[in-house]
Amino acid sequence: TPHLAIQHCPCSGAAPRKAAGLFAMSNDAHMKVLHQLRRLPENRKCGSCRHEEKLGFKDVCVKFQIFVCGDCKSAHQAYSHRCKSITMSNWNKDEVDALRADMGGGNARNSATTFAHLPNESALWPKKGCHPNELKEFIVAAYNDRKWFGEAAPVEAPQPPRPKAPPSVSKTVSLPVKLEWSPIWRWLPPYGYLDPARAASIPQVSATMLASHSSLLRLFTRSYTSLAPLLVSLPA
């Protein structure tokens, strides 16, 4: 019996199984992100009725990029708002990215826009277990009629710290001393401050001291002639 070579048939299914395995690995990455998004605190509260689920919701209203409870999913579907199941539907990366807050999705942004003018304490919010028609009317008012819609408030940029005020410095008057040296000035208080040689070592003269010197100078200048003989006899 001649030996028959068995060739691999491309239709055997081995290659498709390998490709399916690679697809599953790439699919796991964004599905992991999807489950992380649905468990965020803001997404654990239904985007339409505010019912809270501790483990996160398994349904998404794709049209408005929000996570919703089962009752709200049915109400959205009644008005052709496309919805998908997280566990029973296939998701691609773009659909998952659209649910991210930085891409404009998620329940927090929906609450800040769709329900911007509906107070949290309002009695208009539907309660869990209410009649389906009541929930549908609420969905129509909120999403079709945009009854409470408002633009999201812009995020304020952090203000730079204010510069500290410089320490207060007492004001002084700096004036050059232009008076020529004479024996009489050495007896004026503070003694010798008007001596040009000594004044050079004094960088600043206060305004009060300057006024005091001016008054004394006027007084002694008037009586200089009569005092000159007396001052000559004084020791140097």
Side-chain angles (χ1 to χ4, degrees):
T1 304
H3 177 72
L4 298 178
I6 301 176
Q7 297 181 354
H8 171 72
C9 176
C11 300
S12 62
R17 281 197 297 270
K18 183 176 180 181
L22 294 174
F23 175 78
M25 291 177 62
S26 61
N27 190 50
D28 287 343
H30 63 262
M31 287 305 295
K32 182 178 179 180
V33 174
L34 179 59
H35 285 288
Q36 290 175 345
L37 289 172
R38 79 182 183 96
R39 293 190 181 101
L40 291 176
E42 60 270 25
N43 292 334
R44 292 202 303 262
K45 184 180 292 186
C46 177
S48 296
C49 72
R50 303 193 307 170
H51 170 67
E52 189 170 355
E53 178 61 52
K54 293 182 179 180
L55 299 179
F57 298 102
K58 297 181 180 180
D59 296 303
V60 170
C61 181
V62 179
K63 180 178 177 64
F64 300 106
Q65 302 170 352
I66 55 174
F67 296 85
V68 294
C69 66
D71 293 341
C72 287
K73 174 189 176 183
S74 299
H76 277 286
Q77 287 177 324
Y79 297 99
S80 302
H81 301 164
R82 183 180 175 225
C83 297
K84 290 182 67 171
S85 169
I86 293 177
T87 57
M88 302 297 292
S89 302
N90 293 324
W91 290 79
N92 59 49
K93 185 177 181 299
D94 291 338
E95 289 176 327
V96 174
D97 288 343
L99 297 172
R100 297 166 59 97
D102 55 353
M103 300 294 290
N107 292 11
R109 181 173 179 82
N110 175 74
S111 177
T113 53
T114 304
F115 302 107
H117 300 296
L118 182 61
N120 292 332
E121 64 277 6
S122 174
L124 296 176
W125 288 100
K127 294 179 174 57
K128 186 64 176 177
C130 66
H131 195 279
N133 290 340
E134 182 181 344
L135 188 55
K136 290 177 182 179
E137 291 175 0
F138 181 80
I139 295 296
V140 170
Y143 294 95
N144 291 10
D145 301 338
R146 305 179 78 180
K147 186 175 181 179
W148 305 289
F149 185 85
E151 295 294 336
V155 179
E156 295 184 0
Q159 297 295 327
R162 295 182 178 180
K164 295 182 179 180
S168 58
V169 180
S170 58
K171 295 183 178 180
T172 57
V173 180
S174 299
L175 295 175
V177 180
K178 297 182 179 180
L179 297 176
E180 296 182 359
W181 171 250
S182 176
I184 188 174
W185 309 134
R186 62 188 296 186
W187 298 101
L188 301 178
Y191 308 105
Y193 273 19
L194 294 182
D195 180 355
R198 299 182 64 182
S201 63
I202 303 172
Q204 294 179 331
V205 179
S206 67
T208 304
M209 183 186 301
L210 187 63
S212 176
H213 275 209
S214 299
S215 299
L216 290 173
L217 285 174
R218 285 195 296 270
L219 176 62
F220 276 90
T221 301
R222 293 170 184 163
S223 56
Y224 177 77
T225 305
S226 60
L227 292 176
L230 177 62
L231 292 174
V232 171
S233 63
L234 292 176

